[in-house]
Amino acid sequence: MEMTNFSLIYPSIESKNLHLAGKLTPDIDMYTLEELGMLEILDLKSSSLSEYFTVSPEVMEYRSKTFIDMMENPPLVSTLNKLVPILTDITELRRLEADNHDGEDYLSSITEIELYISCIENLNSGLSKARANIKSPAFIALDKRISELVESDYYKELNEKLRELTKRVREIKSVTIGVNLDTRLRPQSAGVLSINAESFKSGDVLDKILRLNFKDDEYTCIASLVPFNKKQSETQQTALSNAFNSAINDVYKSSLKSWKKIVQTYVLENTDFLLEIMPEIEFLVKGTELLIKLRERGCDLVFPEIMPMGDRIFEARDLYNPAVAIKLQKEEEIIPNDIDFNSENAYIYVLTGPNRGGKSVITCAIGLALSMMQLGLLVPARSAKISPADAIFTHFPTGADDTIDKGRLGEECARLGEIFDCVTPHSLVLLDESLSSTGSYEGSYIASEVLSGLAIVGCRCLFATHLHELAADIDRINENSSKSGGVRIETLVAGIEEGQRSFKIYRAKPDGKSYARDIAERYGLTYENILKKIQQ
């Protein structure tokens, strides 16, 4: 049975090959994912998360059905979790065999078959429990393959042979060793005389002194070999173990040759199929665990309507940041927001508002939602329509370090320049407090140039900033960029209700003075508060 070229996350081998060739892979690096917080909520050990991003609606929809199946069928998650350590053991066993350069190892061959059969039995058991509820093409295909394999005559025969051969090995309790001595009683040569199904007995001191007819009881020890004691080094233990395994392999050499043929021609092919999807299994399990955490938190999850990439749409209702949602206590409220990037509203927004008013949270939420969709996950919103991006770029420079040749502002500008080297109309650009390392006049000037350039590109962009002068200058920027065919830029504000941050985002013109007064009041720096202090 041909089991190679199988995937749980690609609907066809053609789609997988296109992805591996880079034709379906967007430009998203690990630095961007780290800034968004994606690596914090979906951390993979055996592969890089960026490998799984796709621009193909077919692949996204295929994966979303797989994730939904796993969310609705706990046996699938537990089955895949059990599979990973077994496959890891197979990988380690093969590595050790390769290091030893020994192709004839009877015991390791049996161990690998046992591990392989354990994989198949675990898969078959878990899939059978969820079979009535499985709806995703990935698990339907996997279930069909595993069922055909388990029901095949060859697999049944393999199990029978394994039981027989394993029994023979497991029955070995002791080995009778013969040692030839020279005239001075020095060992000349040694070999295995027999392999026994019972352990030898340790005789007492009187037996050792009086017993002269050893043949009456072949399994009573009359003297221990010195190397077998508690002070035996690890090297000695390994050497002795290898010697006995080698002897056993020699004894079973005739059956070993036919056994190895079975391993090579049938078992290894099918084990390779399972080993190849190990990274996919981890991706699916970790992604499902994330979605289940959000669902248990009471958060909305939806698979968005995927729009054409050329439409550059991002419309989400009740969007929230999943990284923040997971950290909140159950009694703490999650504040969702509506966001619209489209031709009717705007493709570029400048977001202003008070410090700690939710600007960074919503900026990351947009990037996380798009990332989750392009991984095939459900997204953190009540409803959504989203066009895939060919790249996601972030510029969150608040933690950037100065360098000797550029300084912090120079580093910020250099990174912004790198974005312009790669950005297209189909990209998403997220800027959070960019150009905050300089004065408001210089920062606003450079930011207006950056926004004008992004408007000409026509990509989706959110610029969260404390530069209120920039937001106030949007009309002028729009007037200039429109002459060159630039898209419209609009403003958003993080709101305040009754003097408190609401964490709600609104379409509105910014009022820098009110935010400045909010900050001043928070730290007791209004004129009234200062006057009270100096008059005390």
Side-chain angles (χ1 to χ4, degrees):
M1 182 186 300
E2 180 62 36
M3 294 286 286
T4 57
N5 292 327
F6 180 81
S7 174
L8 286 170
I9 61 174
Y10 295 100
S12 65
I13 298 306
E14 290 74 21
S15 62
K16 182 176 181 179
N17 290 338
L18 283 172
H19 180 89
L20 294 175
K23 296 181 180 179
L24 298 180
T25 309
D27 184 4
I28 300 170
D29 60 30
M30 298 300 283
Y31 184 80
T32 291
L33 297 180
E34 184 177 2
E35 286 196 319
L36 289 174
M38 193 76 217
L39 300 183
E40 185 178 357
I41 61 175
L42 188 53
D43 182 27
L44 303 181
K45 304 299 182 185
S46 63
S47 57
S48 170
L49 187 60
S50 59
E51 297 174 17
Y52 299 102
F53 279 82
T54 180
V55 297
S56 167
E58 181 189 20
V59 174
M60 294 179 218
E61 290 172 358
Y62 183 83
R63 293 179 186 174
S64 70
K65 294 173 183 176
T66 305
F67 281 116
I68 291 172
D69 249 0
M70 293 180 69
M71 291 174 67
E72 301 302 324
N73 297 283
L76 294 179
V77 179
S78 61
T79 296
L80 294 184
N81 268 323
K82 291 177 184 176
L83 203 61
V84 172
I86 301 173
L87 293 174
T88 302
D89 287 343
I90 293 176
T91 303
E92 180 64 15
L93 187 63
R94 290 191 184 181
R95 186 190 66 79
L96 291 173
E97 286 181 339
D99 290 345
N100 292 335
H101 305 291
D102 185 3
E104 294 190 348
D105 188 338
Y106 181 78
L107 295 177
S108 64
S109 295
I110 290 180
T111 302
E112 182 164 353
I113 300 299
E114 288 177 318
L115 290 171
Y116 163 70
I117 289 177
S118 179
C119 282
I120 300 303
E121 289 179 347
N122 270 292
L123 273 172
N124 187 53
S125 174
L127 290 166
S128 64
K129 291 176 183 176
R131 188 168 292 146
N133 300 316
I134 289 175
K135 297 176 182 177
S136 65
F139 280 115
I140 290 173
L142 180 63
D143 183 38
K144 181 181 177 183
R145 287 181 175 233
I146 297 301
S147 296
E148 289 176 354
L149 178 61
V150 170
E151 292 167 6
S152 68
D153 293 337
Y154 201 100
Y155 184 79
K156 293 173 183 176
E157 184 182 355
L158 181 68
N159 266 296
E160 290 174 7
K161 287 183 177 179
L162 177 65
R163 279 193 290 270
E164 293 173 8
L165 291 164
T166 301
K167 183 180 178 183
R168 290 174 64 185
V169 173
R170 299 294 181 259
E171 285 179 347
I172 297 174
K173 301 298 182 183
S174 65
V175 175
T176 304
I177 301 173
V179 181
N180 291 323
L181 307 176
D182 63 11
T183 55
R184 299 178 61 182
L185 300 182
R186 292 177 302 185
Q188 281 187 315
S189 59
V192 174
L193 301 184
S194 66
I195 293 177
N196 314 309
E198 53 185 292
S199 302
F200 70 76
K201 303 168 188 174
S202 179
D204 57 28
V205 176
L206 189 61
D207 286 336
K208 295 175 184 178
I209 295 173
L210 300 178
R211 192 179 303 278
L212 299 176
N213 187 5
F214 306 135
K215 293 184 179 179
D216 290 345
D217 193 344
E218 296 177 2
Y219 297 110
T220 299
C221 176
I222 63 172
S224 297
L225 292 176
V226 174
F228 292 93
N229 58 36
K230 294 180 180 179
K231 295 181 180 180
Q232 188 181 15
S233 69
E234 186 176 342
T235 304
Q236 287 175 313
Q237 291 175 351
T238 303
L240 286 167
S241 177
N242 289 341
F244 283 114
N245 284 339
S246 177
I248 292 170
N249 281 331
D250 284 341
V251 173
Y252 291 108
K253 197 170 243 181
S254 58
S255 57
L256 175 62
K257 290 182 180 178
S258 60
W259 186 243
K260 268 294 183 182
K261 188 175 180 182
I262 294 173
V263 175
Q264 293 293 339
T265 58
Y266 180 76
V267 178
L268 293 186
E269 269 188 26
N270 293 286
T271 310
D272 285 342
F273 141 74
L274 293 170
L275 293 175
E276 285 174 6
I277 63 172
M278 261 187 73
E280 296 182 4
I281 290 172
E282 185 196 18
F283 168 65
L284 290 173
V285 168
K286 291 288 184 71
T288 303
E289 289 173 351
L290 167 62
L291 297 176
I292 289 174
K293 284 180 184 177
L294 292 170
R295 185 174 65 178
E296 290 176 346
R297 179 66 176 76
C299 299
D300 288 323
L301 287 167
V302 66
F303 189 70
E305 181 181 350
I306 303 176
M307 307 302 290
M309 182 181 284
D311 288 355
R312 296 168 290 167
I313 287 175
F314 186 107
E315 298 174 2
R317 298 292 168 264
D318 290 341
L319 175 72
Y320 62 92
N321 187 315
V324 173
I326 288 174
K327 293 177 182 177
L328 291 177
Q329 300 298 318
K330 285 193 175 182
E331 63 274 10
E332 293 182 283
E333 185 181 5
I334 298 168
I335 307 297
N337 279 286
D338 297 344
I339 296 292
D340 290 297
F341 292 88
N342 54 42
S343 57
E344 294 180 5
N345 293 284
Y347 288 116
I348 299 177
Y349 289 101
V350 175
L351 170 61
T352 55
N355 287 342
R356 303 181 66 83
K359 299 194 298 297
S360 297
V361 170
I362 193 64
T363 302
C364 289
I366 293 168
L368 287 170
L370 185 59
S371 296
M372 290 171 74
M373 183 191 82
Q374 293 194 227
L375 289 169
L377 293 157
L378 308 185
V379 303
R382 177 171 53 82
S383 64
K385 294 180 180 180
I386 303 176
S387 299
D390 63 359
I392 298 177
F393 300 105
T394 55
H395 189 262
F396 299 176
T398 52
D401 295 325
D402 294 355
T403 59
I404 295 174
D405 57 334
K406 293 189 181 80
R408 185 171 169 188
L409 177 61
E411 285 295 320
E412 288 195 54
C413 291
R415 283 188 56 199
L416 286 167
E418 291 171 0
I419 291 175
F420 278 104
D421 289 337
C422 306
V423 70
T424 78
H426 306 130
S427 304
L428 172 68
V429 179
L430 300 171
L431 311 174
D432 186 19
E433 300 295 359
S434 298
L435 304 168
S436 59
S437 59
T438 186
S440 60
Y441 175 80
E442 294 85 353
S444 296
Y445 174 80
I446 299 172
S448 67
E449 299 293 291
V450 169
L451 283 174
S452 297
L454 292 173
I456 300 302
V457 173
C459 63
R460 288 165 288 182
C461 171
L462 180 69
F463 192 154
T465 181
H466 71 289
L467 298 171
H468 298 284
E469 299 92 337
L470 172 67
D473 201 29
I474 292 302
D475 289 340
R476 183 192 63 80
I477 297 172
N478 276 328
E479 184 179 348
N480 290 338
S481 65
S482 64
K483 297 174 183 177
S484 301
V487 299
R488 184 165 182 78
I489 304 170
E490 288 290 349
T491 56
L492 300 172
V493 295
I496 293 179
E497 296 178 3
E498 298 179 355
Q500 299 295 320
R501 293 165 177 76
S502 67
F503 302 102
K504 297 295 290 186
I505 307 301
Y506 300 101
R507 285 279 300 273
K509 295 292 183 182
D511 182 0
K513 291 182 180 179
S514 65
Y515 297 131
R517 181 171 181 81
D518 171 76
I519 296 170
E521 286 179 347
R522 182 178 181 185
Y523 293 99
L525 296 178
T526 61
Y527 174 75
E528 294 84 355
N529 285 332
I530 293 172
L531 195 60
K532 287 179 182 177
K533 286 184 179 182
I534 61 178
Q535 289 177 346
Q536 287 178 352

